[in-house]
Amino acid sequence: MTDIPDPRQPSFVLVRPQMGENIGASARAMWNFGLDRMRVVAPRDGWPNERAVALASGAGRLLDHAGLFDSVPDALGDSTYVFATTARPRGMTMPVVTPERAMQQARAILAQGGRVAVMFGPERAGLENEDIARANAIISVPVNPEFPSLNLAQCVLLVAYEFRRAGDTTPPEVMELARTDFATGAEISALGDHIEARLEEAGFFFPEPKAEGMRRSLRQIWGRLPLTRADVQTLHGMFRQMVRWAETKQRDP
Amino acid sequence: MTDIPDPRQPSFVLVRPQMGENIGASARAMWNFGLDRMRVVAPRDGWPNERAVALASGAGRLLDHAGLFDSVPDALGDSTYVFATTARPRGMTMPVVTPERAMQQARAILAQGGRVAVMFGPERAGLENEDIARANAIISVPVNPEFPSLNLAQCVLLVAYEFRRAGDTTPPEVMELARTDFATGAEISALGDHIEARLEEAGFFFPEPKAEGMRRSLRQIWGRLPLTRADVQTLHGMFRQMVRWAETKQRDP
């Protein structure tokens, strides 16, 4: 896991953002993934922006330290590599990369001592070609072509998420998936009910104060196990047999 | 790239959601990545929800077809594998997976004919242990531990994004990153200005109607090339020399 905040991180440049709410939500999204270097270019409603501060709750620090610029060239002045985010490529002669690949490249460039910026366009129009022309590469999110409209903060969230993921060491917790006929949630619930009822009769849930916790942890066991339909039938049978046995002992002790 | 909507997809189960806005935003986030199977368990403000419909603009169809359930077991009745999303693991004995790994597993299970559900908790409290106990695995987003609060729609967005990515065939567009001293944006801009000025004198931008486009595409060239500081100096020198040469010819034709 990387440090929080990441000592080597890209700056996120919001170009001519319109709604303060979206600037605030973008600040939250950045900080959710440990990024705290925001730059704002010619925000429509001026700066500082009250609504941005209100929405940033918890990430307001990013706005306090955000760099304010009049133009895109000013905001990119110290950057050695610039990404531009667009809903879809604009047919420019420029590398088009996925967010994942882009943030892997960003980490590589930062590790070499480079300075990386990621541009995000205004809510409606997005970045203008003149802005994109100043980038080294385009980040294109693989969205549903029938519904590609990501809002500003969502786009910021996905890129920030990918930057963190690119440096993340969290184990994916690999799990074997046998080709088996898993039981359905309904079958698991029925099994849980059956077993719970039998154990109730058997006086298993004792003492009373602990009963609720015991029931829950029992349910958790069934919910957790990747039980097959066959497993479930076996377990039902086991408990039916325990009851028969108990009844027999009752008849002839 | 997978079909839109994906024929084999998990259902997203919103458990006791509170604000209609968040239900609508979640519908949009799902459809952004081609998912359209939503289930809603005991929404606080009843169903259908006007504010959800208003916020879902463009993805309203998901709400029209969403399944409404009274309880979590009902909503999971037909599922063979269930993921629960939590800000952080609850110390339950259960596999904890990253969103990426979870959605890779989801595709594997779906490909085997299984039915997958992903549970998302209410805005404030998140899922209760009793809900989580009904899951087969926990999805934990690797957020900034100092600021882990993702809202409902953001969590839905990230999981939907990872499901799409797991089936995505978009080339990452690999790029070689030489260990070089890249020029800064300011140096590139200065170079662009210099060259533009010289070409202006030379009458390069002609005819007038095309001039603006010519200037932009020229800037795009400098912005696109991974120019080193040395490259920039060389280019400056080239143009200075062209000017000297022109002046000489002017003096003695």
Side-chain angles (χ1 to χ4, degrees):
Chain A
M1 185 60 71
T2 54
D3 300 348
I4 300 299
D6 205 308
R8 283 177 170 169
Q9 57 171 283
S11 51
F12 279 18
V13 183
L14 307 190
V15 180
R16 299 182 298 277
Q18 301 175 316
M19 312 246 308
E21 289 80 348
N22 295 330
I23 301 172
S26 297
R28 288 179 56 86
M30 286 175 66
W31 190 226
N32 277 137
F33 294 106
L35 300 181
D36 61 359
R37 303 200 191 146
M38 176 185 277
R39 294 179 178 187
V40 185
V41 177
R44 185 191 66 185
D45 301 338
W47 198 258
N49 181 309
E50 285 182 8
R51 307 178 80 173
V53 173
L55 258 283
S57 58
R61 187 174 57 79
L62 273 70
L63 300 179
D64 302 338
H65 300 143
L68 178 63
F69 299 86
D70 296 333
S71 73
V72 168
D74 293 347
L76 302 179
D78 65 346
S79 305
T80 58
Y81 202 88
V82 178
F83 291 99
T85 56
T86 65
R88 63 191 77 60
R90 305 291 189 86
M92 288 196 181
T93 318
M94 204 179 281
V96 177
V97 293
T98 59
E100 174 182 37
R101 179 61 184 161
M103 292 301 98
Q104 287 166 350
Q105 294 176 337
R107 283 195 181 270
I109 295 165
L110 289 163
Q112 291 173 14
R115 286 180 295 283
V116 176
V118 184
M119 283 193 285
F120 298 86
E123 288 87 337
R124 300 198 167 291
L127 291 169
E128 289 173 10
N129 286 349
E130 193 185 337
D131 305 319
I132 299 174
R134 298 184 180 278
N136 301 96
I138 288 174
I139 296 177
S140 181
V141 180
V143 286
N144 171 2
E146 294 179 21
F147 193 62
S149 61
L150 285 176
N151 72 33
L152 175 57
Q154 286 175 319
C155 191
V156 167
L157 182 80
L158 290 175
V159 177
Y161 166 77
E162 284 292 7
F163 181 77
R164 183 151 180 83
R165 219 167 57 75
D168 192 12
T169 55
T170 309
E173 186 84 20
V174 179
M175 176 189 289
E176 283 301 305
L177 289 169
R179 184 176 179 72
T180 47
D181 183 20
F182 289 112
T184 67
E187 292 165 326
I188 298 290
S189 286
L191 176 66
D193 296 339
H194 176 196
I195 294 176
E196 207 170 298
R198 295 292 166 275
L199 291 175
E200 196 67 64
E201 297 177 58
F204 175 75
F205 300 111
F206 181 90
E208 187 46 47
K210 290 193 175 175
E212 193 39 50
M214 292 168 79
R215 288 197 191 81
R216 185 189 305 127
S217 50
L218 204 63
R219 280 207 171 277
Q220 187 184 329
I221 295 172
W222 312 131
R224 187 180 78 239
L225 299 174
L227 289 172
T228 64
R229 293 214 155 92
D231 299 333
V232 171
Q233 289 319 312
T234 309
L235 286 161
H236 276 298
M238 279 168 45
F239 277 82
R240 272 194 297 271
Q241 186 51 39
M242 292 297 288
V243 174
R244 283 198 207 90
W245 171 70
E247 287 164 345
T248 325
K249 293 191 77 64
Q250 190 174 30
R251 276 201 301 280
D252 29 55
Chain B
M1 184 59 73
T2 55
D3 301 348
I4 301 299
D6 205 307
R8 284 178 170 169
Q9 57 170 281
S11 51
F12 278 18
V13 182
L14 307 190
V15 179
R16 299 181 298 276
Q18 300 175 316
M19 313 247 306
E21 290 80 349
N22 296 330
I23 301 172
S26 297
R28 289 180 55 87
M30 286 175 66
W31 189 227
N32 277 138
F33 294 106
L35 301 181
D36 62 0
R37 304 201 190 144
M38 176 185 278
R39 294 179 177 186
V40 186
V41 177
R44 185 191 66 186
D45 301 339
W47 199 258
N49 182 310
E50 285 182 8
R51 309 178 80 173
V53 174
L55 258 283
S57 59
R61 187 174 57 78
L62 273 69
L63 300 178
D64 303 338
H65 299 144
L68 178 64
F69 299 86
D70 296 334
S71 73
V72 167
D74 292 348
L76 302 179
D78 66 345
S79 304
T80 58
Y81 202 87
V82 178
F83 291 99
T85 55
T86 65
R88 66 191 75 62
R90 305 292 189 85
M92 289 196 182
T93 317
M94 202 179 283
V96 178
V97 294
T98 59
E100 175 182 36
R101 179 60 185 162
M103 291 301 98
Q104 288 166 350
Q105 294 176 336
R107 283 195 181 269
I109 295 165
L110 290 162
Q112 291 173 14
R115 287 180 295 282
V116 176
V118 184
M119 284 193 284
F120 298 86
E123 288 87 339
R124 301 199 166 291
L127 291 169
E128 289 173 10
N129 286 349
E130 192 186 338
D131 305 318
I132 298 174
R134 297 183 181 280
N136 301 96
I138 289 174
I139 296 176
S140 181
V141 180
V143 286
N144 171 1
E146 292 180 23
F147 193 62
S149 62
L150 285 176
N151 72 34
L152 176 56
Q154 286 176 318
C155 190
V156 167
L157 181 81
L158 290 175
V159 178
Y161 165 77
E162 284 291 8
F163 181 78
R164 183 154 180 83
R165 220 167 56 75
D168 193 12
T169 55
T170 309
E173 184 88 18
V174 178
M175 177 189 289
E176 282 300 304
L177 289 169
R179 183 179 180 74
T180 47
D181 183 20
F182 289 112
T184 67
E187 289 162 343
I188 298 290
S189 286
L191 176 67
D193 296 338
H194 175 196
I195 294 176
E196 206 170 300
R198 294 292 166 275
L199 291 174
E200 195 67 64
E201 296 177 58
F204 175 76
F205 299 112
F206 182 88
E208 187 46 47
K210 291 195 173 170
E212 193 40 48
M214 292 168 80
R215 289 197 191 80
R216 185 187 306 126
S217 50
L218 204 62
R219 283 207 169 274
Q220 187 183 330
I221 295 172
W222 313 132
R224 189 180 77 241
L225 299 175
L227 290 172
T228 63
R229 292 214 154 93
D231 298 333
V232 170
Q233 288 319 313
T234 308
L235 286 161
H236 275 298
M238 278 169 46
F239 277 83
R240 272 193 297 272
Q241 186 51 39
M242 292 298 289
V243 174
R244 283 197 207 90
W245 171 71
E247 287 165 345
T248 326
K249 292 190 77 65
Q250 191 174 31
R251 277 201 300 280
D252 28 56

